[in-house]
């Protein structure tokens, strides 16, 4: 008898060795192997990949395709312009001496059945990042503020740190410019070492491996009230014999050291009775 088999819509995965097995009266008979090899257009194993490269620095791209049939020949293209007149045999490594602007690279794989074109691989040149944007205040305290910002375009090189510049908004202030560096992400920073009830101008710059971005526009951030840093001055105590009372006088702390709206005073005093016992008391005074 004659047995036959068929493979419909054959694909590359159907390549391989095939045998025919018969069962005759309980005995298995196996034929000699038959090798099936499907020929067709080249099949890519590796295509030009997307890369971010340093300006004017050399880099390599690889293009690899297989048959059968072999050999497979490779032609390279840059921005759709063919680079090699004579074909390279796959696998092919293209060495580019350097770029100063973005370019598209692709390749064609040829065999005697025809050609297959690769997907394009975009090669970007790393540059200086764009300035941060949307700097805003998240939280305000007496001696610190928390800010956030939106990073600018990283120019194909990941941002690794940002610099926060802070200066008092008062042009008469002699406080020097404050500079704080922070790693990113997150794009948030807690600015400390500030004075209460003060206005500050803040801006941000970020860097990648190429360099620093321009600064964001200045924004104003204000701290909240803080406790006075100077006690009342020139405290004096006098005895009013007619009323058997003590009169306490003092001078209001300097305005700049109050750090807010003065709401009142606490007066502490110690009293010694006839038996020499000392007690401590406190009373409040508004105004």
């Amino acid at each position: 008898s004659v047995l036959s088999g068929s493979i419909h819509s054959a694909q590359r995965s159907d390549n391989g060795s095939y045998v025919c097995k018969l069962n005759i009266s309980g005995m298995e008979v196996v034929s000699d192997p038959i090798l099936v090899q499907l020929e067709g257009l080249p099949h890519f194993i590796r295509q030009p990949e997307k890369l971010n490269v340093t300006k004017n620095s050399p880099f390599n791209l690889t293009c690899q395709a297989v048959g059968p049939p072999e050999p497979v020949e490779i032609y390279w293209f840059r921005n759709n312009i063919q680079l090699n007149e004579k074909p390279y045999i796959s696998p092919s490594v293209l060495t580019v001496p350097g770029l100063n602007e973005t370019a598209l690279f692709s390749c064609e794989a040829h065999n005697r059945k025809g050609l297959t074109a690769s997907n394009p691989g975009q090669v970007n040149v790393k540059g200086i990042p764009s300035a941060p944007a949307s700097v805003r205040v998240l939280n305000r305290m007496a001696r610190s503020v928390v800010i956030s910002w939106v990073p600018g375009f990283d120019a194909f090189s990941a941002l690794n740190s940002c610099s926060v510049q802070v200066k008092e908004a008062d042009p008469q202030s002699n406080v020097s410019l404050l500079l704080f560096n922070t790693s990113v992400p997150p794009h948030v920073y807690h600015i400390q070492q500030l004075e209460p009830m003060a206005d500050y101008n803040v801006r941000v710059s970020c860097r990648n491996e190429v360099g620093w971005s321009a600064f964001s526009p200045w924004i104003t951030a204000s701290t909240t009230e803080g406790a006075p840093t100077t006690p009342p001055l020139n405290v004096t105590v006098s005895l009013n014999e007619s009323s058997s009372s003590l009169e306490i006088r003092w001078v209001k702390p300097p305005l700049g050291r109050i750090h807010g709206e003065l709401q009142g005073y606490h007066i502490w005093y110690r009293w010694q009775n006839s038996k020499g016992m000392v007690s401590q008391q406190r009373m409040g005074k508004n105004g």
Side-chain angles (χ1 to χ4, degrees), residues 66-205:
V66 295
E70 305 287 350
V72 175
E73 298 176 335
I74 301 296
Y75 290 90
W76 283 96
F77 294 83
R78 172 177 170 177
N79 296 332
N80 296 320
I81 299 175
Q82 186 171 319
L83 297 179
N84 55 309
E85 292 184 9
K86 295 183 178 180
Y88 303 135
I89 300 300
S90 177
S92 174
V93 177
L94 177 70
T95 298
V96 182
L99 292 178
N100 56 19
E101 61 182 5
T102 296
L104 286 176
F105 288 86
S106 61
C107 58
E108 286 182 354
H110 295 242
N111 63 11
R112 68 171 183 263
K113 292 292 184 179
L115 70 89
T116 305
S118 75
N119 294 325
Q122 181 168 306
V123 180
N124 303 304
V125 178
K126 299 175 185 178
I128 299 292
S130 302
S134 302
V135 182
R136 64 191 185 98
V137 178
L138 298 182
N139 194 14
R140 302 187 304 129
M141 289 147 280
R143 294 186 175 273
S144 63
V145 295
V146 179
I147 65 167
S148 70
W149 60 91
V150 176
F153 173 54
D154 66 6
F156 308 111
S157 175
L159 302 174
N160 52 51
S161 63
C162 292
S163 178
V164 180
Q165 277 192 355
V166 182
K167 66 178 182 178
E168 281 203 57
D170 182 3
Q172 304 300 321
S173 173
N174 57 2
V175 177
S176 59
L177 188 73
L178 300 176
L179 187 64
F180 305 95
N181 289 324
T182 181
S183 58
V184 291
H187 293 273
V188 175
Y189 189 70
H190 186 185
I191 306 171
Q192 303 184 71
Q193 306 175 26
L194 305 179
E195 291 295 321
M197 284 292 287
D199 294 331
Y200 291 90
N201 291 328
V202 179
R203 64 179 183 174
V204 183
S205 170

Side-chain angles (χ1 to χ4, degrees), residues 3 104 160 166 212 226 262 266 269:
L3 300 176
L104 286 176
N160 52 51
V166 182
W212 287 97
L262 193 60
H266 278 142
Y269 61 94

Side-chain angles (χ1 to χ4, degrees), residues 12-70:
R12 191 177 300 273
S13 59
D14 296 318
N15 283 342
S17 179
Y18 293 80
V19 297
C20 178
K21 293 183 179 182
L22 297 177
N23 192 304
I24 303 176
S25 299
M27 294 183 60
E28 186 177 76
V29 179
V30 182
S31 71
D32 293 332
I34 300 172
L35 182 63
V36 174
Q37 188 176 55
L38 181 67
E39 291 190 345
L41 297 176
H43 170 70
F44 280 106
I45 296 175
R46 189 170 177 185
Q47 304 183 58
E49 57 187 329
K50 178 181 176 181
L51 290 178
N52 298 324
V53 300
T54 302
K55 184 177 181 179
N56 296 326
S57 294
F59 61 92
N60 293 333
L61 294 170
T62 300
C63 191
Q64 183 177 6
V66 295
E70 305 287 350

